[in-house]
């Protein structure tokens, strides 16, 4: 299964003409990847620098919550996720300025999403578009796209890539918060590992005030060793609140990760608070909302039941409290 998955064809960004019935979301991308895709020879080369862009993603009116409708044949905005426009930025400063100017919510916040292991660039872009659309995120979304090999057999390569991307994620966060804006930080899987390593680095360097500049953190199915997470958290010091960890006992992808790392328990598969102890963190067990797809590794963003429940809670919450829709009311689901 690992070999077959590593060799299969994967999605790419498809461009098409816009359709009036579709909804367009602009995804800003801090892109730390090379232009070379993985192939039969193995993982692609890692980049020497990172770039900045804004991609307009069209979500079809026929979209089903939790899904990405990939083109099957010629891309069509009426039925598929497609890209309908793209802009490049020469510097990270012009990139951050464009993000700020786009904010129509008056919340002065930016969502930063860090994808996980075995994720190619197009998959990450469309994942953020689906996330923003389904959860009705009102603030500008920024994807930090790091050099995952996009191969099931590339686990160790991806862990090394995550460490190599710390400086670029740090620079992205510093730039986005330079003018008083705050960041809502969301990580999935190995992206959570990259987030914690970067915040630890920031704390040691003092390059930004983490507690002040980061409004909240949500780690979904974090692929992080529990003991390592506690050590990272202790170095960071004052953690931003709210801080959520979304876990599921039956996460098959994290079971495989545990085998690959010497049968060490992964944070995202532990459904009690023992591993976080007295840290100011809310553990959210989404096991009951699993639908069985993708090893139950993306329950919060792919399960229609989870999406509907979280959106319902967000709508019930007090006005002005939900800067990113459902995410800040997850504490109501805590067990």
């Amino acid at each position: 299964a690992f070999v077959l998955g590593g060799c299969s064809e994967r999605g790419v960004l498809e461009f098409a003409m816009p359709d009036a019935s579709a909804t367009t979301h602009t995804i800003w991308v801090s892109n730390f990847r090379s232009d070379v895709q993985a192939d039969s020879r193995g993982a692609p080369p890692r980049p020497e620098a990172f770039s900045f862009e804004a991609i307009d993603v069209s979500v079809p009116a026929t979209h089903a919550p939790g899904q990405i409708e990939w083109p099957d044949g010629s891309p069509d905005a009426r039925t598929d996720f497609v890209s309908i426009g793209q802009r490049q930025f020469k510097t990270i400063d012009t990139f951050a300025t464009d993000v700020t100017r786009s904010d129509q919510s008056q919340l002065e916040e930016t969502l930063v999403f860090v994808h996980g292991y075995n994720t190619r660039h197009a998959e990450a872009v469309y994942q953020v578009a689906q996330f923003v659309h389904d959860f009705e995120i009102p603030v500008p979304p920024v994807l930090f796209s790091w050099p995952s090999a996009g191969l099931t057999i590339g686990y160790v390569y991806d862990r090394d890539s995550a460490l190599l991307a710390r400086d670029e994620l740090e620079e992205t966060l510093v730039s986005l918060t330079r003018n008083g804006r705050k960041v809502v930080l969301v990580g999935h899987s190995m992206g959570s590992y990259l987030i914690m390593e970067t915040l630890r680095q920031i704390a040691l360097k003092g390059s930004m005030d983490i507690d002040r500049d980061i409004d909240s953190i949500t780690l979904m199915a974090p692929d992080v060793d529990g003991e390592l997470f506690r050590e990272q958290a202790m170095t960071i010091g004052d953690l931003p609140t709210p801080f959520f960890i979304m876990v599921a006992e039956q996460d098959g992808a994290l079971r495989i990760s545990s085998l690959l790392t010497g049968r060490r328990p992964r944070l995202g598969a532990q459904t009690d608070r023992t591993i976080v102890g007295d840290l100011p963190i809310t553990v959210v067990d989404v096991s009951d909302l699993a639908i069985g797809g993708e090893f139950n590794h993306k329950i919060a963003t792919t399960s229609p039941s989870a999406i509907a429940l979280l959106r319902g809670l967000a709508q019930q919450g007090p006005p002005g409290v939900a800067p990113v829709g459902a995410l800040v009311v997850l504490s109501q689901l805590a067990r």
Side-chain angles (χ1 to χ4, degrees):
F2 271 93
V3 174
L4 289 174
C7 297
S8 60
E9 189 66 29
R10 300 280 286 275
V12 297
L13 287 174
E14 297 278 10
F15 288 84
M17 295 297 294
D19 181 78
S21 67
T23 303
T24 301
H25 299 282
T26 300
I27 311 299
W28 284 264
V29 184
S30 179
N31 186 352
F32 186 50
R33 289 181 183 256
S34 71
D35 294 331
V36 180
Q37 292 282 6
D39 56 26
S40 60
R41 293 170 293 180
R46 295 190 177 100
E48 296 182 359
F50 63 141
S51 59
F52 313 97
E53 57 195 350
I55 302 173
D56 296 323
V57 178
S58 175
V59 178
T62 56
H63 167 68
Q67 301 298 310
I68 296 175
E69 286 82 7
W70 290 94
D72 184 11
S74 298
D76 188 337
R78 293 173 299 177
T79 56
D80 308 324
F81 272 62
V82 294
S83 302
I84 60 173
Q86 189 170 357
R87 290 174 287 133
Q88 302 288 334
F89 301 92
K90 292 184 178 180
T91 68
I92 195 170
D93 291 332
T94 56
F95 172 79
T97 298
D98 196 71
V99 171
T100 299
R101 288 176 178 170
S102 73
D103 188 3
Q104 300 179 0
S105 70
Q106 300 181 338
L107 292 169
E108 297 186 349
E109 293 185 330
T110 304
L111 170 75
V112 176
F113 189 98
V114 184
H115 64 82
Y117 145 74
N118 187 22
T119 303
R120 297 193 178 183
H121 183 62
E123 294 169 326
V125 172
Y126 286 170
Q127 181 183 8
V128 175
Q130 177 252 315
F131 179 78
V132 168
H133 186 87
D134 287 348
F135 283 89
E136 300 180 348
I137 306 296
V139 300
V142 173
L143 163 67
F144 182 74
S145 187
W146 54 275
S148 165
L151 296 170
T152 51
I153 57 174
Y155 188 84
V156 175
Y157 177 96
D158 276 15
R159 281 182 64 86
D160 290 344
S161 292
L163 293 177
L164 286 169
R166 288 174 296 185
D167 289 351
E168 286 71 24
L169 178 56
E170 176 186 359
E171 188 174 348
T172 299
L173 295 175
V174 169
S175 296
L176 291 172
T177 58
R178 186 165 289 141
N179 295 321
R181 290 181 65 84
K182 293 190 174 185
V183 160
V184 174
L185 196 51
V186 179
H188 176 250
S189 186
M190 196 177 286
S192 301
Y193 171 65
L194 171 53
I195 285 174
M196 292 301 293
E197 278 293 303
T198 301
L199 294 182
R200 179 182 184 276
Q201 174 173 298
I202 289 172
L204 292 172
K205 293 170 61 177
S207 54
M208 62 184 283
D209 187 327
I210 293 173
D211 188 40
R212 180 196 65 199
D213 296 336
I214 298 179
D215 192 62
S216 67
I217 297 177
T218 300
L219 305 182
M220 300 183 294
D223 187 0
V224 185
D225 180 279
E227 291 180 352
L228 173 60
F229 176 82
R230 283 195 61 84
E231 202 60 35
Q232 292 165 327
M234 297 305 294
T235 301
I236 293 167
D238 292 332
L239 296 174
T241 54
F243 192 130
F244 302 107
I245 298 176
M246 304 186 71
V247 302
E249 187 175 9
Q250 72 276 45
D251 190 318
L254 293 184
R255 287 201 194 105
I256 296 173
S257 173
S258 177
L259 291 174
L260 292 173
T261 54
R263 298 187 181 274
R264 296 294 304 162
R266 314 316 287 168
L267 184 64
Q270 296 178 274
T271 55
D272 58 44
R273 282 194 51 86
T274 303
I275 197 64
V276 299
D278 57 354
L279 294 173
I281 292 173
T282 300
V283 177
V284 184
D285 185 353
V286 296
S287 299
D288 293 342
L289 304 176
I291 57 176
E294 297 195 51
F295 296 95
N296 288 316
H297 194 47
K298 297 181 180 179
I299 295 174
T301 58
T302 61
S303 165
S305 298
I307 293 168
L309 180 59
L310 297 178
R311 283 177 55 175
L313 287 173
Q315 292 166 2
Q316 297 169 18
V321 175
V324 289
L327 291 179
V328 297
V329 292
L330 281 174
S331 58
Q332 297 179 53
L333 287 175
R335 299 182 180 181

